[in-house]
Amino acid sequence: MALITWKDSYSVNIKELDNQHKKLIDLINVLHDSMKEGKGKEAICNVLDQLVHYTATHFAAEEKLFLKHGYPGSQDHYLKHQDLIEQVSSLQKRFESGESVLTIEVMAFLKDWLTDHILASDKKYTSFLNSKGVM
Ligand SMILES: [Fe+2]
Ligand SMILES: [Fe+2]
Protein backbone atom coordinates (compact mmCIF):
# COMPACT_ATOMS: atom_id res chain seq x y z
CA MET A 1 0.00 0.00 0.00
CA ALA A 2 1.20 3.48 -0.79
CA LEU A 3 2.45 5.56 2.12
CA ILE A 4 0.55 8.65 0.98
CA THR A 5 -2.69 8.59 -0.96
CA TRP A 6 -3.85 11.77 -2.64
CA LYS A 7 -7.00 13.20 -1.07
CA ASP A 8 -9.19 16.05 -2.27
CA SER A 9 -8.39 17.85 0.98
CA TYR A 10 -4.78 18.22 -0.31
CA SER A 11 -5.99 20.22 -3.31
CA VAL A 12 -4.91 23.86 -3.51
CA ASN A 13 -7.35 24.33 -6.39
CA ILE A 14 -4.59 25.24 -8.86
CA LYS A 15 -4.10 22.49 -11.39
CA GLU A 16 -0.39 22.92 -12.07
CA LEU A 17 0.47 23.00 -8.35
CA ASP A 18 -1.81 20.05 -7.52
CA ASN A 19 -0.01 18.06 -10.22
CA GLN A 20 3.36 19.00 -8.73
CA HIS A 21 2.17 17.95 -5.26
CA LYS A 22 0.99 14.64 -6.74
CA LYS A 23 4.43 14.11 -8.24
CA LEU A 24 6.08 14.79 -4.85
CA ILE A 25 3.69 12.27 -3.26
CA ASP A 26 4.65 9.75 -5.97
CA LEU A 27 8.36 10.25 -5.26
CA ILE A 28 7.87 9.71 -1.51
CA ASN A 29 5.82 6.59 -2.29
CA VAL A 30 8.59 5.28 -4.59
CA LEU A 31 11.09 5.87 -1.78
CA HIS A 32 8.81 4.00 0.62
CA ASP A 33 8.51 1.06 -1.80
CA SER A 34 12.29 1.04 -2.27
CA MET A 35 12.75 0.85 1.48
CA LYS A 36 10.21 -1.97 1.84
CA GLU A 37 11.74 -3.92 -1.02
CA GLY A 38 15.17 -3.56 0.54
CA LYS A 39 16.62 -1.73 -2.48
CA GLY A 40 20.28 -0.78 -2.33
CA LYS A 41 21.76 2.52 -1.32
CA GLU A 42 22.35 3.64 -4.91
CA ALA A 43 18.70 3.20 -5.91
CA ILE A 44 17.52 4.98 -2.79
CA CYS A 45 20.00 7.85 -3.20
CA ASN A 46 18.75 8.27 -6.73
CA VAL A 47 15.11 8.69 -5.63
CA LEU A 48 16.13 11.01 -2.77
CA ASP A 49 18.03 13.11 -5.27
CA GLN A 50 14.97 13.35 -7.50
CA LEU A 51 12.89 14.35 -4.47
CA VAL A 52 15.32 17.12 -3.49
CA HIS A 53 15.45 18.47 -7.05
CA TYR A 54 11.75 18.29 -7.72
CA THR A 55 11.05 19.97 -4.38
CA ALA A 56 13.25 22.90 -5.41
CA THR A 57 11.47 23.10 -8.79
CA HIS A 58 8.06 23.04 -7.14
CA PHE A 59 8.92 25.66 -4.50
CA ALA A 60 10.29 27.94 -7.22
CA ALA A 61 7.01 27.57 -9.16
CA GLU A 62 4.97 28.61 -6.12
CA GLU A 63 7.30 31.53 -5.34
CA LYS A 64 7.12 32.74 -8.95
CA LEU A 65 3.31 32.91 -8.67
CA PHE A 66 3.56 34.74 -5.33
CA LEU A 67 5.85 37.35 -6.87
CA LYS A 68 3.80 37.74 -10.02
CA HIS A 69 0.56 38.35 -8.11
CA GLY A 70 1.92 40.07 -4.98
CA TYR A 71 0.85 37.40 -2.50
CA PRO A 72 0.99 39.03 0.97
CA GLY A 73 2.10 35.81 2.71
CA SER A 74 5.08 35.28 0.42
CA GLN A 75 7.89 36.14 2.88
CA ASP A 76 6.70 33.78 5.57
CA HIS A 77 6.04 31.06 3.00
CA TYR A 78 9.48 31.51 1.44
CA LEU A 79 11.13 30.99 4.85
CA LYS A 80 9.12 27.80 5.35
CA HIS A 81 10.34 26.52 1.95
CA GLN A 82 13.95 27.27 2.93
CA ASP A 83 13.49 25.35 6.13
CA LEU A 84 11.95 22.35 4.33
CA ILE A 85 14.77 22.31 1.76
CA GLU A 86 17.31 22.31 4.58
CA GLN A 87 15.55 19.41 6.29
CA VAL A 88 15.41 17.22 3.19
CA SER A 89 18.96 18.14 2.06
CA SER A 90 20.31 17.27 5.48
CA LEU A 91 18.49 13.94 5.33
CA GLN A 92 20.01 13.33 1.90
CA LYS A 93 23.53 14.10 3.19
CA ARG A 94 23.13 11.84 6.21
CA PHE A 95 21.86 9.07 3.96
CA GLU A 96 24.61 9.43 1.37
CA SER A 97 27.33 9.44 4.03
CA GLY A 98 25.87 6.27 5.52
CA GLU A 99 25.10 8.05 8.80
CA SER A 100 21.37 7.33 8.39
CA VAL A 101 19.33 4.61 6.80
CA LEU A 102 15.75 4.75 5.59
CA THR A 103 13.39 3.62 8.29
CA ILE A 104 9.66 3.77 8.93
CA GLU A 105 10.39 6.85 11.09
CA VAL A 106 12.22 8.62 8.27
CA MET A 107 9.36 7.83 5.91
CA ALA A 108 6.81 9.13 8.44
CA PHE A 109 8.90 12.29 8.73
CA LEU A 110 8.85 12.77 4.93
CA LYS A 111 5.12 12.16 4.76
CA ASP A 112 4.48 14.86 7.39
CA TRP A 113 7.15 17.12 5.89
CA LEU A 114 5.08 17.29 2.69
CA THR A 115 1.47 16.94 3.81
CA ASP A 116 1.73 19.32 6.78
CA HIS A 117 3.16 22.00 4.51
CA ILE A 118 0.39 21.55 1.93
CA LEU A 119 -2.34 21.61 4.56
CA ALA A 120 -0.94 24.32 6.85
CA SER A 121 0.75 26.69 4.39
CA ASP A 122 -0.03 25.98 0.74
CA LYS A 123 -3.79 25.95 1.22
CA LYS A 124 -3.54 29.51 2.54
CA TYR A 125 -2.71 30.89 -0.93
CA THR A 126 -5.71 29.26 -2.66
CA SER A 127 -8.27 32.01 -2.22
CA PHE A 128 -5.76 34.78 -3.01
CA LEU A 129 -4.39 33.16 -6.17
CA ASN A 130 -7.83 31.97 -7.31
CA SER A 131 -9.04 35.59 -6.96
CA LYS A 132 -6.22 36.58 -9.36
CA GLY A 133 -7.50 34.04 -11.88
CA VAL A 134 -4.86 31.39 -11.12
CA MET A 135 -6.61 28.00 -11.03
FE1 LIG B 1 3.55 23.23 -2.40
FE1 LIG C 1 4.66 25.87 -0.40
Side-chain angles (χ1 to χ4, degrees), residues 26 32-33 40 49 59 61 73 92 98 100 105-106:
D26 285 345
H32 183 240
D33 289 343
D49 200 53
F59 286 174
Q92 184 189 30
S100 292
E105 289 75 22
V106 172

Side-chain angles (χ1 to χ4, degrees), residues 58-59 62 77 81 117 122 125:
H58 166 63
F59 286 174
E62 286 186 349
H77 202 124
H81 283 172
H117 180 72
D122 286 351
Y125 57 59

Side-chain angles (χ1 to χ4, degrees), residues 3-132:
L3 179 69
I4 315 177
T5 307
W6 172 265
K7 295 184 280 194
D8 286 343
S9 63
Y10 292 148
S11 176
V12 295
N13 205 37
I14 295 168
K15 202 167 181 13
E16 180 199 3
L17 299 178
D18 278 345
N19 287 337
Q20 293 177 358
H21 288 149
K22 286 176 185 168
K23 179 156 178 183
L24 288 168
I25 288 173
D26 285 345
L27 284 169
I28 293 176
N29 283 333
V30 169
L31 205 55
H32 183 240
D33 289 343
S34 306
M35 181 200 75
K36 283 199 307 188
E37 290 160 12
K39 288 263 171 72
K41 186 177 166 186
E42 199 181 320
I44 286 171
C45 282
N46 183 286
V47 186
L48 255 181
D49 200 53
Q50 289 181 55
L51 179 65
V52 168
H53 280 95
Y54 197 70
T55 297
T57 302
H58 166 63
F59 286 174
E62 286 186 349
E63 288 160 17
K64 195 173 157 194
L65 282 172
F66 297 166
L67 201 66
K68 184 173 176 191
H69 299 284
Y71 176 51
S74 68
Q75 187 57 26
D76 183 53
H77 202 124
Y78 174 77
L79 292 174
K80 292 206 165 74
H81 283 172
Q82 292 301 106
D83 189 44
L84 290 169
I85 294 231
E86 260 167 49
Q87 289 179 33
V88 76
S89 302
S90 128
L91 182 74
Q92 184 189 30
K93 280 193 200 99
R94 291 202 308 272
F95 193 83
E96 280 177 356
S97 70
E99 197 184 312
S100 292
V101 289
L102 272 195
T103 58
I104 304 275
E105 289 75 22
V106 172
M107 290 314 309
F109 161 81
L110 279 173
K111 178 183 179 177
D112 293 345
W113 169 88
L114 178 64
T115 55
D116 289 354
H117 180 72
I118 294 174
L119 294 171
S121 299
D122 286 351
K123 285 180 75 86
K124 284 187 186 161
Y125 57 59
T126 297
S127 57
F128 178 84
L129 290 175
N130 282 176
S131 80
K132 300 289 177 186

